[in-house]
Amino acid sequence: MHRAVDFLKERFPEDVLEVVEFRGETTLVVHPRAIRALLTALRDAPEMSYKYLSMIAAVDYYPAEPRFGVVYNLYSHRYRDRLTLKCLLPGEAPVIDSVVSVHATADFHEREAYDLMGIVFRGHPNLKRILLPPDFVGFPLRKEFPQRGQ
Amino acid sequence: MTPILPEKQYDTMLLNVGPSHPSTHGVLRVLVELDGEVIVKAEPDLGYLHRGIEKLCENRTYHQCIPLMNRLDYLAGEVNNFGFCLAVEKLLGIEVPKRAQYIRVIIAELTRIASHIFWLGTHAHDLGAMTPLFYGFREREKIMDLCEMVSGGRMFPAYFRIGGLAADLPEGFVEEALAFVKDFPNKWKDYDTLLTENPIWKKRTVGVGVMTKEECLDYGWSGPMARGSGVDWDLRRDNPYSSYEDFDFNIPLGTREGDVYSRYLVRMQEMLESAKIVRQALEKLPKGDIKVDDPRISLPPKEKVYTDIAALINHFKLIQEGVTPPAGEVYQAIEAPKGEMGFYIVSDGTGRPFRVKIRRPSFVVLNALDKLARGRLLADLIALIGTMDIVLADVDC
Amino acid sequence: MGIEEHLGYNILTTSLEKVVDWARKSSLWPATFGLACCAIEMIVTAANRWDIARFGMEAFRASPRQADLIIIAGTVTKKMMPAIQRVYDQMTEPKWVIAMGACACSGGIFDSYAVVQGIDLYLPVDVYIPGCPPRPEGLLYGILKLHEKILRDPFLTQQYREKLAARKEAA
């Protein structure tokens, strides 16, 4: 069992929903309301020390509901291991707190997730399109968007 | 003496750097607000090379994604595929044979040297030193010849396959590659004498773009960018993959608080370390298979396909459907020349990936451009873009 | 424009046309327009092994006003298209366009929502160079074909002759 699982289950018992272990990696499915608190705890506790956020990925699980997943991958330099957190968001209005205040690198990752998948990050300082032209309509990585565009 | 105009009556000027610009290493646009020559704000505008690779992958089999991945970080063509193939192999739960692992390391480290040479040439060219480009290309062409010998493609070999390699090394490769890496440190001295103690180079690069260790981790910097600030982290040593633990190499660290000059020194040393790794791999190259021996993953040999019906059907199914990993999600990160390159693959059990998310190091590094450029002169912006070693296809995916 | 206007079309002899076209093709200056991976092969062509200075083209001009040739090397995205159009319009006549690489010729392997499927939807292309990326020898072959085109097809003098005649008719 990954060392972070017990740590998080102690401090956030209602927010850790599921633990998935696959191919040597641990993914914790957590409740979206607690993501900022969880990442802060994982960063600041010396026995966790997950000071580095590798990436934030947005996944469209259509037709499963909740439809969107936001995946945070953390790395600890002190203990040389990884941890993945996943939040599931509903399909009609995917909104989640921004973690830019916890990890500065989240800025561009969240903008990309907004641009390509349409997930809104509450509290992001500059949430606008980053890779597509500013007048682009639609969110390309969603499953209903055709590959060649509209 | 009274000033002609009272303070704060000056407006800032908005200067548009790029997207068509000789020093932006591609189609990067930076919106710079200037107060005279001093930068007040530098906002990068990305997306001019966004090709939709992540969307394209969802409609292709895993093997068909390999040429697409090659074109991500186009200076180090095959390293991207290293990460992708390792991620899919992690999903499948297989490990490739030892000989294939060693050859993968050889090709990856050779392309790392090629990528750093190109970085050095263009970075120096932007800051006014035009000679290292031509000296560096002498070696880069030899590496391109080696890549071409192996697979036919100079920049994009597309040599790695899921489960191993496309074919074995051709005759004569080991001798030529050994001759190259044995001679490389002498050629490296040329670049070193041109720049390392050069007073103009030092004036342009010392003290520019300083990042402390904590800021590096906060901004997600990895690879030579973080090592230039003293962060002792290299995925090849700390979370080794593909037999990197068999090789003996040092991790060069920056000597000061992470300015452009210290990152330059780190990348120069990394070239020598990569040559060391290639030499060890070539000398200890084991014999054996180059593809995992599993009919659900590796294509059968061509002679059998033409003569044996079972092999023909196997070949047909593998080409049509591709490899079918079980449903699940994995993240595999490798040490690319630009930093940590990661592939997050979501599989739904079919032969096509459900979602491929590529964690590109150049994209993450650009986030800090605004922070580093504030308060510096416009000429330092060019030094900063050069030191970040961005490749626009890597930024925009 | 150029020498034809100054001399007037009535005294322009074919041998002078030949000299002018020879001068034009012998020092075609490309505008730096490398977009993606093909730009790397273009830079390599200009470097020491496949020296493009033998053809008088090592001076890649950053300003489009000083360039005669634009080599569209790399993928053209829809976001980048207005910039390319502006740079092409700013180039002075005579100007030529080479589409280098599969992405510039036809969109290449990127058949997606963000990529223009070939630069010839927007610009008049003179030479198409296939490849992904084309080898430096391939780029040089394409450039030599463009030289042949410039030598044998004095299209500009013909065009301007007709325009001048039309203007005289109207006047």
Side-chain angles (χ1 to χ4, degrees):
Chain A
M1 190 51 56
H2 198 272
R3 62 197 177 86
V5 174
D6 294 321
F7 174 86
L8 288 176
K9 277 191 171 157
E10 262 175 66
R11 284 163 186 67
F12 303 92
E14 308 97 45
D15 292 320
V16 178
L17 304 172
E18 201 189 329
V19 179
V20 178
E21 299 233 348
F22 181 67
R23 302 281 187 248
E25 292 182 2
T26 309
T27 304
L28 293 169
V29 181
V30 297
H31 200 285
R33 66 170 179 235
I35 190 65
R36 212 181 265 177
L38 277 163
L39 287 180
T40 315
L42 285 168
R43 181 190 68 179
D44 294 333
E47 66 270 23
M48 291 291 113
S49 187
Y50 284 101
K51 294 193 186 335
Y52 178 87
L53 176 67
S54 274
M55 63 132 198
I56 302 180
V59 189
D60 181 357
Y61 289 109
Y62 187 84
E65 199 43 62
R67 180 176 173 185
F68 292 108
V70 182
V71 182
Y72 300 80
N73 190 290
L74 299 161
Y75 183 81
S76 163
H77 284 72
R78 181 183 285 189
Y79 300 100
R80 314 272 186 216
D81 62 1
R82 284 195 188 270
L83 177 65
T84 311
L85 297 177
K86 190 187 332 185
C87 297
L88 295 168
L89 302 173
E92 311 83 47
V95 186
I96 189 173
D97 282 330
S98 161
V99 296
V100 175
S101 51
V102 185
H103 294 274
T105 183
D107 190 338
F108 269 23
H109 287 296
E110 289 178 351
R111 279 179 72 182
E112 188 190 359
Y114 167 68
D115 190 8
L116 296 174
M117 200 67 95
I119 296 178
V120 176
F121 291 87
R122 250 192 310 246
H124 192 281
N126 187 17
L127 196 69
K128 48 180 198 201
R129 285 196 183 268
I130 187 171
L131 292 176
L132 294 167
D135 53 357
F136 194 89
V137 170
F139 298 109
L141 278 179
R142 290 197 179 182
K143 290 291 175 189
E144 74 268 10
F145 194 92
Q147 180 195 297
R148 296 210 175 126
Q150 286 157 345
Chain B
M1 177 172 154
T2 51
I4 299 172
L5 276 172
E7 283 248 50
K8 306 294 181 203
Q9 271 224 352
Y10 294 98
D11 263 332
T12 53
M13 175 175 83
L14 190 67
L15 180 70
N16 182 37
V17 177
S20 164
H21 190 275
S23 301
T24 55
H25 299 263
V27 288
L28 171 69
R29 179 176 181 221
V30 186
L31 289 150
V32 185
E33 244 182 75
L34 291 169
D35 174 17
E37 188 85 9
V38 174
I39 297 176
V40 169
K41 184 170 169 209
E43 191 188 324
D45 182 14
L46 317 174
Y48 289 92
L49 199 57
H50 176 68
R51 303 188 270 202
I53 290 182
E54 292 180 356
K55 183 82 182 180
L56 285 170
C57 282
E58 292 176 14
N59 293 329
R60 285 164 164 63
T61 63
Y62 286 94
H63 270 114
Q64 288 173 333
C65 293
I66 289 176
L68 278 178
M69 294 301 168
N70 250 156
R71 284 147 178 86
L72 271 177
D73 172 5
Y74 44 72
L75 291 181
E78 206 55 21
V79 177
N80 314 301
N81 272 327
F82 203 177
F84 182 70
C85 290
L86 282 174
V88 181
E89 284 154 17
K90 197 180 203 182
L91 260 181
L92 288 165
I94 58 171
E95 188 149 320
V96 300
K98 220 42 176 169
R99 184 178 169 88
Q101 288 183 0
Y102 272 54
I103 297 177
R104 278 182 172 181
V105 166
I106 292 170
I107 301 285
E109 293 302 316
L110 281 175
T111 38
R112 187 188 306 269
I113 301 176
S115 168
H116 281 331
I117 287 176
F118 201 92
W119 159 82
L120 178 68
T122 47
H123 183 38
H125 187 100
D126 291 340
L127 297 183
M130 300 198 212
T131 326
L133 185 79
F134 297 100
Y135 277 87
F137 273 25
R138 203 181 40 186
E139 270 63 68
R140 195 183 144 90
E141 286 302 321
K142 292 209 189 95
I143 297 178
M144 295 286 107
D145 279 344
L146 288 171
C147 285
E148 191 185 351
M149 207 192 280
V150 147
S151 71
R154 282 159 48 91
M155 277 164 61
F156 304 131
Y159 181 50
F160 297 171
R161 295 284 184 273
I162 296 162
L165 306 167
D168 209 338
L169 291 175
E171 269 182 42
F173 178 84
V174 176
E175 290 78 33
E176 284 213 26
L178 260 179
F180 172 73
V181 288
K182 280 192 180 146
D183 194 34
F184 183 70
N186 299 329
K187 300 284 170 35
W188 179 88
K189 281 206 190 69
D190 285 339
Y191 328 141
D192 196 41
T193 29
L194 278 173
L195 288 176
T196 308
E197 292 301 320
N198 189 326
I200 305 178
W201 181 254
K202 280 180 137 168
K203 263 215 132 143
R204 286 289 311 253
T205 54
V206 169
V208 178
V210 176
M211 280 284 260
T212 61
K213 273 191 206 178
E214 294 73 33
E215 283 174 342
C216 275
L217 295 186
D218 198 24
Y219 274 89
W221 279 22
S222 52
M225 302 298 294
R227 289 197 282 278
S229 296
V231 176
D232 189 8
W233 177 45
D234 186 327
L235 281 166
R236 296 174 290 175
R237 180 197 61 191
D238 298 327
N239 302 79
Y241 49 91
S242 188
S243 300
Y244 267 108
E245 61 269 12
D246 293 351
F247 305 114
D248 170 39
F249 57 100
N250 302 322
I251 309 293
L253 288 181
T255 47
R256 52 182 85 223
E257 273 277 296
D259 55 9
V260 173
Y261 186 66
S262 91
R263 278 174 232 131
Y264 155 79
L265 289 173
V266 165
R267 285 194 178 106
M268 290 290 277
Q269 284 301 117
E270 272 189 12
M271 284 198 252
L272 288 179
E273 297 300 324
S274 289
K276 215 198 276 184
I277 298 177
V278 175
R279 188 176 176 160
Q280 290 171 39
L282 284 167
E283 284 165 357
K284 297 195 284 190
L285 191 64
K287 302 211 182 304
D289 284 330
I290 44 109
K291 265 195 257 209
V292 79
D293 194 15
D294 188 340
R296 287 167 304 172
I297 296 168
S298 306
L299 289 173
K302 262 303 204 235
E303 309 84 50
K304 278 203 162 160
V305 171
Y306 288 132
T307 51
D308 178 24
I309 189 74
L312 177 66
I313 296 174
N314 188 5
H315 180 100
F316 182 77
K317 278 191 78 95
L318 269 177
I319 298 288
Q320 282 291 96
E321 288 172 9
V323 296
T324 45
E329 307 180 2
V330 287
Y331 180 75
Q332 170 71 34
I334 58 161
E335 182 77 21
K338 314 279 186 282
E340 174 199 346
M341 175 165 243
F343 289 86
Y344 180 71
I345 304 187
V346 178
S347 156
D348 55 354
T350 64
R352 282 152 206 251
F354 186 76
R355 167 90 166 99
V356 176
K357 155 82 181 159
I358 310 163
R359 192 259 186 208
R360 293 105 52 198
S362 307
F363 180 71
V364 173
V365 158
L366 262 187
N367 202 355
L369 183 66
D370 189 25
K371 172 190 172 326
L372 288 176
R374 282 187 192 212
R376 302 221 60 101
L377 301 176
L378 183 59
D380 292 330
L381 181 72
I382 304 300
L384 287 171
I385 295 177
T387 189
M388 287 181 173
D389 197 5
I390 52 171
V391 164
L392 262 301
D394 201 33
V395 170
D396 292 337
C397 168
Chain C
M1 45 95 273
I3 198 163
E4 287 85 354
E5 277 182 4
H6 291 290
L7 296 172
Y9 294 111
N10 43 359
I11 64 161
L12 203 62
T13 61
T14 48
S15 41
L16 186 57
E17 247 176 48
K18 280 207 179 108
V19 171
V20 166
D21 288 329
W22 169 84
R24 279 192 185 128
K25 74 106 178 161
S26 304
S27 89
L28 266 182
W29 286 355
T32 55
F33 221 84
L35 297 167
C37 346
C38 284
I40 308 297
E41 291 294 41
M42 192 167 69
I43 294 175
V44 164
T45 314
N48 33 11
R49 190 168 178 185
W50 285 284
D51 191 13
I52 210 177
R54 314 177 257 171
F55 305 103
M57 289 172 66
E58 81 280 11
F60 277 76
R61 312 312 294 165
S63 160
R65 300 253 181 234
Q66 298 166 5
D68 342 77
L69 169 67
I70 185 167
I71 304 181
I72 307 281
T75 319
V76 179
T77 55
K78 292 184 181 162
K79 192 170 182 181
M80 186 67 190
M81 198 56 232
I84 299 180
Q85 188 67 50
R86 198 184 262 196
V87 167
Y88 178 74
D89 290 338
Q90 283 176 346
M91 283 168 73
T92 51
E93 291 277 357
K95 57 189 175 187
W96 294 275
V97 178
I98 288 183
M100 174 185 178
C103 291
C105 292
S106 69
I109 56 176
F110 301 105
D111 188 10
S112 76
Y113 51 86
V115 172
V116 172
Q117 302 294 303
I119 190 72
D120 55 359
L121 297 174
Y122 293 92
L123 301 183
V125 176
D126 290 296
V127 176
Y128 296 84
I129 305 178
C132 191
R135 283 189 62 112
E137 288 100 327
L139 175 60
L140 286 175
Y141 184 68
I143 288 174
L144 290 174
K145 283 285 175 202
L146 182 66
H147 286 182
E148 282 175 36
K149 186 171 181 177
I150 295 173
L151 279 178
R152 90 172 161 242
D153 185 3
F155 68 102
L156 298 152
T157 57
Q158 182 71 21
Q159 264 183 12
Y160 278 91
R161 222 174 275 168
E162 285 165 2
K163 262 196 205 160
L164 197 61
R167 239 187 287 159
K168 281 192 181 153
E169 284 283 328

